[in-house]
Amino acid sequence: MSKRIDVGDLNVYYGNFLAVEGVSMAIEPRSVTAFIGPSGCGKSTFIRTLNRMHEVIPGARVQGKVLLDGEDLYGPSVDPVTVRRQVGMVFQRPNPFPTMSIRDNVLAGMKLNSNRMSKSAANEVVERSLQGANLWNEVKDRLDKPGSGLSGGQQQRLCIARAIAVQPDVLLMDEPCSALDPISTLAIEDLIGELKQNYTIVIVTHNMQQAARVSDRTAFFNIAGTGKPGKLIEMDDTTKMFTNPSVKATEDYVSGRFG
Amino acid sequence: MSVATKPPAQNSLAHNQLPRYTTQLVLVASAAAGAGVSALWGGFSIVSFAVLSVLIFVIVNTVLSAVVEGRRKAVDKLVTSLVYTAFGLALVPLISVIWSVLDNGTARFSMDFLTTSMRNVTGLNDQEALEGAAPFIGGAYHAILGTFLITALATLISVPIGLLTSIYLVEYGRGRLARSITFFVDVMTGIPSIVAGLFAAALFAVLFGVGTRNGFAGAVALSVLMIPVVVRSSEEMLRIVPNELREAAYALGVPKWRTIVKVVVPTAISGIASGVTLAIARVVGETAPLIVTAGFTSSINTNPFSDWMMSLPAYVYSQALRPLSGSSPQPSFDRAWAAALTLILIVMLLNLVARLIARLFAPKTGR
Ligand SMILES: Nc1ncnc2c1ncn2[C@@H]1O[C@H](COP(=O)(O)OP(=O)(O)OP(=O)(O)O)[C@@H](O)[C@H]1O
Ligand SMILES: [Mg+2]
């Protein structure tokens, strides 16, 4: 569990459009890394290349290297499906499967892959994952009810439970709290703090305070103008990024004096 | 209450209004006036009564409203009456079809009709029945069975092809191939049903010899008509499955084909199933393609792969156009009407089933 990620000089294209240019970074295991930056600078684009989710979009492609514990994700015979089993992802909008119960949603990673497991093992996974996502107490009496009947914040925690049920090494979160109220947000931030013990976590957020609260390291992305590629401007320890960044643009952005 | 409300007359938001039941009153009055004018004007008839009443109502209602309530309300009332009139006009053919089928069809419609075939029933039987010397005999069991078998076979052929095509179009199709498939599906939608029948007849003539007619050929002809409908409706349903669900599955390390089989199709299944049922309802009444492919028979044939097979539409056609007894055709006409009634009942049942399926399979919400 928990692997490190090394990115080397990565370019991401949508067709001929260069969306992200020349990103190199190292992400330590058992840490939380936050990506911040203005809208459209390529945070989502970049985070999706860490588990090859960008390949779902027609025409999206990358140049460069992404190493997971030294192994190249983009090696010639690497199957994206295997990659995604090790690098899980939580999306901006909660997306539980509407045809499945809460229980089946948690077990979706196994069920959809038709992995056989005993009932007791399944129960254990459900309880452990829901406990892990801080949702167990709220849903333990209604596990057979549809997942779409939960509130938005509960749905998002259900999606987190679903992602950690398959025990990935890395958990990517693209603005997981942007659709949630402050209390659910706090619940998820606490959860991130706990998940850090076992997982490598990467989170995209527009909320500076959130980045400051949850992350160990912060990466600031920026874009020179529309149609220009997004770039990694600076990456450092979170405390340093928010108090004493080495680049002027970072300071302007984190202090709200942007543009 | 310390806030004093102005008396209604001084309220600047209020306007003159007609009393509440004016419209209904005008309607009743115009119906009476319409009946009167129609009777004076060359004898009462339903058509002139309806046209005159509606005309009088629209004019009176609009003018009255224009005088009392003002222009905007008058236009509103005018358009409302026009919309209702159009709705009523659209209902006329439906109601008149149902009425005439019920009126004529119930004469012969019975358990006996549903469970016997036309084997060994001749014009002589009909004449005797008319004279009261013998009971009416002869039913549509063989045709109902044939319709059932042929339609089931057609569904068995069309649903896999149609569903897989729509999955290809939505999940995999890019570029020229997908565009040409879409184009040809559109073209297929417009194929006249007799052409589909001739195509199947010609195909079976080439494969099994000229003049080959059986239920399976009929099923192939119906499939040609059904496939584009299934493709189109399933495609629509698959397209509205949110992309986020696919991404959620991919992010769990689920391969694409499993995502399609276990997430995309189950999410869309209620729409797909009701689309398929409606497609069945659409082809179950096709006549021309079955006449040239499955033919006619008066006896029960349970094997769709050999010999001619009767179907309900073909039964209606043959009873109505070629009565058993030329001199006393009424029993045959009655049988044709009863078969038409059966067909309408089947179509209604299919529509109900479609709704039921949509309800049953729909993703559940709530706690
Ligand atoms: N599917 C796509 N096809 C083509 N271009 C895209 C696609 N998705 C994103 N882009 C482009 O890539 C660039 C980066 O977009 P991205 O979604 O990564 O931004 P972001 O940093 O996540 O923004 P936000 O904070 O608003 O989510 C933008 O210029 C965007 O227009
Ligand atoms: Mg984004």
Side-chain angles (χ1 to χ4, degrees):
Chain A
M1 301 249 294
S2 188
K3 293 186 174 173
R4 62 174 289 119
I5 301 175
D6 294 283
V7 182
D9 201 17
L10 196 78
N11 295 335
V12 194
Y13 295 85
Y14 289 110
N16 292 323
F17 172 62
L18 178 59
V20 176
E21 187 181 19
V23 174
S24 301
M25 66 166 65
I27 297 171
E28 298 296 326
R30 293 172 206 282
S31 71
V32 179
T33 304
F35 292 173
I36 58 172
S39 189
C41 68
K43 305 178 296 295
S44 301
T45 304
F46 176 67
I47 201 174
R48 287 167 71 98
T49 64
L50 300 182
N51 68 344
R52 297 184 64 165
M53 275 301 285
H54 69 285
E55 288 171 17
V56 175
I57 298 164
R61 63 200 162 83
V62 301
Q63 287 169 352
K65 270 193 164 34
V66 179
L67 305 180
L68 187 65
D69 262 6
E71 292 172 326
D72 191 357
L73 290 194
Y74 291 94
S77 55
V78 173
D79 184 354
V81 170
T82 327
V83 172
R84 292 178 200 143
R85 285 184 190 162
Q86 300 184 24
V87 186
M89 186 156 195
V90 175
F91 298 85
Q92 180 168 355
R93 292 230 315 246
N95 50 3
F97 297 116
T99 48
M100 298 183 193
S101 66
I102 293 175
R103 186 187 143 85
D104 287 351
N105 260 293
V106 177
L107 294 173
M110 296 87 174
K111 289 221 158 164
L112 293 180
N113 280 316
S114 293
N115 293 349
R116 300 240 159 271
M117 59 194 314
S118 69
K119 194 141 195 279
S120 60
N123 285 339
E124 198 178 308
V125 170
V126 170
E127 177 161 1
R128 177 172 49 76
S129 312
L130 286 172
Q131 295 270 21
N134 269 331
L135 189 62
W136 175 249
N137 286 329
E138 285 156 75
V139 300
K140 62 170 183 270
D141 312 315
R142 47 195 273 218
L143 291 175
D144 292 324
K145 295 283 155 50
S148 41
L150 298 172
S151 79
Q154 290 171 328
Q155 285 186 20
Q156 189 64 300
R157 280 179 281 151
L158 179 61
C159 292
I160 295 177
R162 178 175 72 187
I164 60 182
V166 292
Q167 301 195 303
D169 301 308
V170 179
L171 197 56
L172 309 176
M173 301 178 154
D174 190 355
E175 300 185 40
C177 303
S178 62
L180 305 184
D181 71 304
I183 298 189
S184 307
T185 302
L186 220 58
I188 287 178
E189 286 179 10
D190 288 347
L191 175 61
I192 292 171
E194 289 166 27
L195 292 175
K196 188 170 91 168
Q197 324 281 321
N198 296 315
Y199 301 92
T200 306
I201 293 178
V202 181
I203 176 172
V204 174
T205 177
H206 277 295
N207 182 330
M208 290 322 138
Q209 289 86 351
Q210 181 171 62
R213 280 193 299 262
V214 300
S215 70
D216 303 307
R217 287 173 68 78
T218 299
F220 173 60
F221 289 78
N222 203 354
I223 186 170
T226 39
K228 302 264 173 54
K231 290 184 178 168
L232 174 63
I233 302 299
E234 185 178 5
M235 178 168 179
D236 214 325
D237 287 338
T238 299
T239 35
K240 175 141 191 296
M241 287 288 278
F242 280 91
T243 51
N244 185 21
S246 35
V247 182
K248 176 81 166 54
T250 315
E251 190 177 348
D252 288 348
Y253 187 76
V254 298
S255 60
R257 267 185 282 118
F258 198 65
Chain B
M1 287 290 248
S2 59
V3 183
T5 42
K6 285 185 187 171
Q10 292 168 7
N11 188 339
S12 67
L13 297 174
H15 286 282
N16 284 339
Q17 247 181 338
L18 286 167
R20 247 174 89 208
Y21 292 107
T22 314
T23 309
Q24 282 86 336
L25 276 176
V26 173
L27 188 60
V28 173
S30 356
V37 175
S38 159
L40 289 178
W41 200 2
F44 182 82
S45 85
I46 288 279
V47 176
S48 68
F49 160 67
V51 171
L52 284 171
S53 313
V54 169
L55 217 60
I56 295 174
F57 171 75
V58 172
I59 293 172
V60 171
N61 201 32
T62 310
V63 169
L64 196 65
S65 167
V67 171
V68 180
E69 297 180 314
R71 201 182 122 79
R72 191 177 58 80
K73 288 255 181 174
V75 171
D76 180 36
K77 289 209 164 158
L78 176 66
V79 174
T80 308
S81 349
L82 289 183
V83 168
Y84 274 105
T85 312
F87 171 67
L89 277 179
L91 278 186
V92 167
L94 178 68
I95 290 177
S96 99
V97 164
I98 290 182
W99 175 252
S100 52
V101 171
L102 272 178
D103 192 31
N104 295 298
T106 40
R108 261 308 267 141
F109 190 79
S110 63
M111 211 52 211
D112 182 54
F113 179 77
L114 295 177
T115 52
T116 57
S117 76
M118 289 299 286
R119 191 167 176 79
N120 296 333
V121 180
T122 63
L124 217 58
N125 296 106
D126 280 357
Q127 277 166 17
E128 283 173 2
L130 271 187
E131 288 155 12
F136 286 101
I137 54 170
Y141 176 67
H142 60 308
I144 297 172
L145 187 75
T147 284
F148 178 75
L149 286 175
I150 292 173
T151 320
L153 265 178
T155 311
L156 230 57
I157 300 171
S158 320
V159 168
I161 296 180
L163 187 56
L164 290 176
T165 306
S166 61
I167 288 178
Y168 172 78
L169 287 177
V170 175
E171 303 290 333
Y172 295 94
R174 305 259 173 273
R176 191 169 295 171
L177 182 59
R179 251 177 291 135
S180 45
I181 290 178
T182 311
F183 175 72
F184 285 117
V185 168
D186 282 348
V187 171
M188 265 176 92
T189 319
I191 289 183
S193 57
I194 181 69
V195 176
L198 290 175
F199 157 75
L203 181 71
F204 275 71
V206 170
L207 293 179
F208 305 106
V210 176
T212 309
R213 288 189 185 180
N214 54 38
F216 187 58
V220 169
L222 291 190
S223 309
V224 174
L225 298 170
M226 230 178 126
I227 288 172
V229 183
V230 174
V231 171
R232 269 289 133 118
S233 64
S234 316
E235 192 190 341
E236 305 264 295
M237 290 303 137
L238 292 175
R239 280 204 199 282
I240 58 174
V241 172
N243 238 335
E244 289 147 23
L245 297 182
R246 297 185 180 90
E247 295 198 337
Y250 296 149
L252 290 168
V254 180
K256 183 162 184 167
W257 70 272
R258 277 188 193 279
T259 305
I260 294 169
V261 173
K262 297 201 164 175
V263 174
V264 179
V265 172
T267 308
I269 193 73
S270 93
I272 293 174
S274 58
V276 167
T277 324
L278 291 178
I280 297 174
R282 173 78 198 73
V283 298
V284 78
E286 283 297 346
T287 320
L290 291 183
I291 289 176
V292 297
T293 52
F296 302 95
T297 170
S298 57
S299 19
I300 297 166
N301 174 11
T302 53
N303 183 358
F305 296 99
S306 83
D307 296 332
W308 293 25
M309 190 177 243
M310 198 55 144
S311 56
L312 271 173
Y315 181 92
V316 175
Y317 174 81
S318 73
Q319 293 291 325
L321 266 78
R322 288 177 290 165
L324 289 183
S325 157
S327 57
S328 43
Q330 194 53 41
S332 290
F333 291 166
D334 286 345
R335 278 195 284 265
W337 280 111
L341 178 60
T342 317
L343 201 54
I344 287 189
L345 287 179
I346 291 178
V347 171
M348 278 185 173
L349 214 70
L350 281 171
N351 279 287
L352 280 183
V353 168
R355 283 172 169 248
L356 216 69
I357 287 175
R359 176 111 25 109
L360 276 184
F361 284 117
K364 319 224 167 0
T365 48
R367 302 169 60 99

